[in-house]
Amino acid sequence: MLAKLNNSILKNIHGFTTDSQCLFYQKLNELLFHKTNYSYQYKLRNIHSILNEILEVIPAIRDTEISSSNLNDLINEAKTYLQNDYIIRTYYSDVQKTLVRCLKEKPNNKNELLALEYRIKTTLELITPLYFNLVIDSLEISINEQNSRQIEILNELLVTQLINKGWSTRGLKTISNYVFEKKLQYNFERKWRAFKRIITEEKTLFHCYIEFPHEDYSDELDSKTNIQFMTGFDILSTFPNINQDNIKKNGLFIEEKIEAFKFDLPSVSLICAQSFAKKQAILSFHHMHINFPEHLYIVSPNEKRLNVVRVFKETSKKTTDNEIDFDYSYNIIRNELVSNNDKERFTNFFSQYHISINSNSIESEYSSLWSALESLLVTGHHNNKIDHIKSIIPSLLANKYVYSILKNFLIDCYRVGVIPIFNNQYINIHKPSEEDIRKLFRMFQSQNELQNFKDSLKDYTLLDQRLEEISNILLNSESLKKQLEKHFSKISTHVQRLYRVRNHLVHNSHVEKDISLLLNHLHFYTRLTALELIVNSQTSDEKSIGQSLLKIEDSYQATIEVLNDNIRSSPKRGEIANFSENLIFDSLLSP
């Protein structure tokens, strides 16, 4: 959650009038904010996008380019989205019944595969023309009717649709902040109409320019390729209304024409940089070594403004909640208790990671990062490589899940400006320690303490909703088990997707259209897991990587078994047994 989005601020300064309007905007910002806990960020898929993904995968399976297990995972994922999709349930109930039937059985031969393909194509032809607008209209109705639960669900659907249409999270956040916070003279209804108009516009054409400092190459390239060169004078002559001082008149530039949404400069920058990286790779093969540009020059669609945009790699800046000091990593090489085999694994991991984050090509960045992950996690204790990763990463994230959402809740309290109280003592929210998080957990276990704190959350509707959500997860052993298994399954399915994208890229030269978004997820999983193993190698009794990995997997299985025992031992007609605090906080050495 973000600071300065309290209900009172939105109402008194920004023209909001209801708590539901505040909830919409608070949730929108949380979904798009790059520092939001991964559990609460935007989702890459909904039923519409997952059906499109299945259609893309079917031909690859038919041609034996990828395994049919990829389709099985997608079908299971589609079933989950189908059950929960508000638009399908409300407006396409007949379609929902048909999809439930056609997704019930996994196709075993080419005939069944073809039948599935036809049914999904028919479904998409029916729902695609209206799905996006129905999401927007339904969200507007939910805001007006103050349906808090529906606002959160439809907000997630809206952002997922926008991301899949080609918007960047940075572009969406920038334009939503401008519309809803900068236009102080407008009321919410007028701001909503402006926002709706912007997000429903079609893509437009941008002219982008990349400085090319090697004039000795330009004549040869101009005559042998379709690379378009222009001087600064040419650009200023073509666009006489742009600001003249931001571009070198005698400079030489490569032109790129990019289609993107009018207010989404981050997307334009990313697409342009990726296009240049492909040219750079070809030129390098022919011994023409071109440095990657520091800036891009983007002419706005109205041809009245020249935007100078700095190029930077988002993944190289990404961190996790458990970042460590440099000494931890460096000590691995010097630590005599770490085996030579594990030192080689860590060294190879660091090398592959370095190659990845320093690559200009997003395809190379992705494939190198996956290689780094494999080199660290594939120790031979599973039948194949992907089974290692599909077991370890979901186990690790499930082990940390409750600790993570509790810690995040305290951080959100700090941003919002409220302080939880347990046993008449304030809980530290600035830099919460494990003891602070334990106190918060105990507060959630006490209905009186919880209700007293809930009364103080009326000024930030989303935080109030989050309190209710976490309370329901921690209600008893059954609710926690259900959430942990759901989290494990979701991560495992997504890891399979990341693996499929890597294999299709490496073996078939197929680049997924949202590879840049998938790369961010792969980077998060890789970094989180590596940091866990680095700390364990020096602070845990399990010194080897293999032992640490088994500890991660065993810890998750043990947690689920304890919860199952609690459920079985509960009275048949009474309340489900609760679980102990230690189950959450002792599952892993490194929180």
Side-chain angles (χ1 to χ4, degrees):
M1 294 177 204
L2 275 70
K4 299 180 181 179
L5 294 184
N6 300 55
N7 294 17
S8 56
I9 294 174
L10 293 175
K11 290 177 181 179
N12 295 334
I13 298 176
H14 299 297
F16 290 59
T17 56
T18 68
D19 289 348
S20 61
Q21 293 170 356
C22 297
L23 175 61
F24 153 73
Y25 190 58
Q26 291 161 355
K27 180 68 175 180
L28 181 66
N29 274 273
E30 181 181 56
L31 290 167
L32 298 172
F33 185 41
H34 70 282
K35 289 186 178 180
T36 294
N37 182 283
Y38 71 93
S39 295
Y40 305 122
Q41 284 186 346
Y42 67 93
K43 307 298 186 289
L44 269 181
R45 297 289 183 264
N46 56 24
I47 188 59
H48 184 261
S49 58
I50 201 76
L51 290 177
N52 276 297
E53 188 174 8
I54 290 174
L55 273 190
E56 292 173 3
V57 165
I58 285 175
I61 292 173
R62 193 165 49 228
D63 298 338
T64 65
E65 292 177 357
I66 58 176
S67 166
S68 61
S69 62
N70 291 281
L71 181 59
N72 298 341
D73 283 345
L74 284 175
I75 287 175
N76 289 330
E77 193 175 7
K79 289 177 182 177
T80 302
Y81 285 120
L82 188 60
Q83 292 171 356
N84 301 320
D85 191 280
Y86 175 82
I87 302 301
I88 298 294
R89 287 201 326 266
T90 306
Y91 299 101
Y92 299 102
S93 56
D94 291 342
V95 171
Q96 185 181 29
K97 293 173 185 175
T98 302
L99 277 176
V100 167
R101 286 196 300 272
C102 80
L103 294 173
K104 191 173 182 180
E105 298 295 334
K106 299 177 178 64
N108 295 315
N109 55 54
K110 288 190 176 183
N111 294 335
E112 293 178 357
L113 202 62
L114 192 61
L116 177 63
E117 184 177 12
Y118 287 160
R119 288 193 179 103
I120 291 178
K121 279 183 178 178
T122 301
T123 299
L124 285 171
E125 287 170 1
L126 181 64
I127 70 174
T128 297
L130 293 177
Y131 188 89
F132 180 51
N133 287 327
L134 285 172
V135 171
I136 297 172
D137 294 342
S138 299
L139 177 56
E140 184 175 0
I141 292 169
S142 296
I143 294 171
N144 292 335
E145 293 180 349
Q146 303 192 45
N147 187 333
S148 298
R149 182 62 189 136
Q150 287 304 119
I151 291 170
E152 288 204 61
I153 291 171
L154 290 164
N155 236 332
E156 290 183 1
L157 284 180
L158 175 63
V159 172
T160 300
Q161 279 300 103
L162 291 170
I163 296 298
N164 281 281
K165 281 169 69 69
W167 277 91
S168 70
T169 54
R170 288 171 59 213
L172 273 175
K173 190 170 187 308
T174 299
I175 196 60
S176 63
N177 290 168
Y178 175 77
V179 170
F180 288 102
E181 293 186 57
K182 302 300 182 185
K183 297 290 186 179
L184 298 180
Q185 72 275 24
Y186 295 170
N187 60 21
F188 178 84
E189 288 74 17
R190 187 171 177 182
K191 292 178 179 183
W192 170 262
R193 289 195 298 272
F195 180 65
K196 183 177 176 179
R197 185 182 68 252
I198 290 169
I199 62 175
T200 53
E201 288 179 349
E202 296 298 321
K203 291 182 178 180
T204 188
L205 186 67
F206 287 83
H207 293 266
C208 308
Y209 299 94
I210 303 166
E211 188 168 4
F212 190 82
H214 298 270
E215 292 186 23
D216 48 331
Y217 295 158
S218 61
D219 290 340
E220 180 181 358
L221 293 173
D222 204 17
S223 61
K224 295 182 178 179
T225 71
N226 63 351
I227 297 176
Q228 181 68 45
F229 288 95
M230 296 181 73
T231 66
F233 283 111
D234 295 333
I235 296 169
L236 293 173
S237 299
T238 306
F239 306 104
N241 295 321
I242 64 174
N243 33 324
Q244 305 271 317
D245 298 330
N246 287 345
I247 197 163
K248 295 178 183 177
K249 295 179 177 60
N250 294 320
L252 189 65
F253 298 85
I254 292 177
E255 183 182 46
E256 297 279 358
K257 294 178 182 178
I258 306 295
E259 279 198 348
F261 295 105
K262 182 165 60 175
F263 297 102
D264 193 6
L265 280 182
S267 273
V268 179
S269 173
L270 177 64
I271 297 169
C272 186
Q274 289 175 3
S275 178
F276 180 79
K278 292 175 182 177
K279 294 180 176 68
Q280 185 189 41
I282 297 171
L283 294 174
S284 295
F285 181 77
H286 293 281
H287 308 293
M288 301 181 190
H289 301 292
I290 312 298
N291 293 329
F292 204 73
E294 293 184 4
H295 296 91
L296 303 175
Y297 301 86
I298 303 173
V299 178
S300 61
N302 64 8
E303 301 183 358
K304 293 182 178 180
R305 179 181 176 84
L306 180 68
N307 302 279
V308 183
V309 180
R310 184 170 177 268
V311 178
F312 71 99
K313 288 170 60 64
E314 289 193 20
T315 49
S316 64
K317 308 289 184 183
K318 296 279 185 180
T319 58
T320 65
D321 288 339
N322 62 336
E323 293 298 315
I324 56 177
D325 292 333
F326 168 77
D327 286 351
Y328 271 98
S329 299
Y330 191 67
N331 282 341
I332 288 175
I333 311 303
R334 301 183 299 182
N335 192 338
E336 294 180 359
L337 297 178
V338 178
S339 69
N340 289 333
N341 182 56
D342 283 354
K343 286 179 181 178
E344 288 176 4
R345 280 187 178 276
F346 277 116
T347 300
N348 187 53
F349 167 79
F350 291 134
S351 297
Q352 292 289 340
Y353 184 86
H354 172 77
I355 292 170
S356 173
I357 66 171
N358 286 285
S359 173
N360 293 327
S361 161
I362 198 165
E363 296 89 348
S364 297
E365 189 174 359
Y366 192 100
S367 57
S368 296
L369 192 57
W370 185 271
S371 296
L373 185 64
E374 272 193 1
S375 69
L376 203 56
L377 301 192
V378 179
T379 60
H381 66 283
H382 285 283
N383 290 332
N384 53 57
K385 293 178 180 179
I386 187 57
D387 282 349
H388 287 79
I389 302 170
K390 284 181 68 175
S391 179
I392 294 162
I393 292 176
S395 295
L396 176 60
L397 288 166
N399 290 338
K400 292 176 175 292
Y401 178 74
V402 174
Y403 187 98
S404 173
I405 62 173
L406 289 174
K407 181 179 179 181
N408 184 74
F409 187 84
L410 288 180
I411 293 170
D412 284 339
C413 287
Y414 176 73
R415 290 175 180 150
V416 171
V418 296
I419 306 177
I421 298 174
F422 179 72
N423 280 347
N424 297 319
Q425 291 186 334
Y426 289 114
I427 300 176
N428 173 38
I429 58 175
H430 180 43
K431 291 183 178 179
S433 64
E434 181 178 319
E435 183 56 34
D436 296 318
I437 297 169
R438 283 180 180 269
K439 289 178 182 177
L440 180 66
F441 175 82
R442 293 166 195 155
M443 187 193 80
F444 272 100
Q445 300 298 296
S446 168
Q447 287 302 312
N448 290 336
E449 297 269 11
L450 197 63
Q451 187 57 49
N452 290 336
F453 179 57
K454 184 176 175 62
D455 293 339
S456 69
L457 299 182
K458 302 303 181 185
D459 195 36
Y460 208 111
T461 307
L462 182 58
L463 190 61
D464 188 23
Q465 295 279 103
R466 186 62 41 75
L467 181 84
E468 196 73 31
E469 178 186 327
I470 296 175
S471 178
N472 289 334
I473 291 171
L474 302 180
L475 186 63
N476 55 46
S477 294
E478 188 174 57
S479 61
L480 180 60
K481 173 179 175 287
K482 182 179 178 181
Q483 185 64 23
L484 291 182
E485 289 181 333
K486 176 183 174 183
H487 196 61
F488 182 99
S489 176
K490 182 178 71 173
I491 301 298
S492 180
T493 299
H494 196 47
V495 168
Q496 180 69 45
R497 172 180 288 112
L498 298 177
Y499 182 58
R500 167 171 55 82
V501 169
R502 178 264 179 191
N503 286 349
H504 218 180
L505 171 65
V506 171
H507 301 303
N508 305 106
S509 301
H510 175 83
V511 182
E512 203 77 14
K513 64 180 180 179
D514 55 358
I515 190 171
S516 60
L517 300 174
L518 294 168
L519 175 63
N520 286 333
H521 292 195
L522 177 58
H523 184 267
F524 171 77
Y525 294 153
T526 302
R527 193 167 183 86
L528 182 80
T529 311
L531 289 167
E532 183 75 19
L533 293 176
I534 290 168
V535 171
N536 277 0
S537 70
Q538 296 172 66
T539 60
S540 172
D541 292 336
E542 291 82 10
K543 293 298 180 185
S544 77
I545 290 177
Q547 288 175 292
S548 294
L549 295 176
L550 283 173
K551 177 185 175 183
I552 290 170
E553 296 175 72
D554 291 347
S555 180
Y556 170 72
Q557 295 298 334
T559 298
I560 296 300
E561 191 52 44
V562 168
L563 293 172
N564 277 328
D565 289 343
N566 290 347
I567 296 168
R568 285 192 290 264
S569 63
S570 301
K572 291 184 178 180
R573 296 187 178 180
E575 293 184 356
I576 301 294
N578 214 326
F579 50 91
S580 74
E581 179 180 317
N582 290 338
L583 188 69
I584 303 302
F585 292 92
D586 294 348
S587 60
L588 273 185
L589 178 68
S590 169

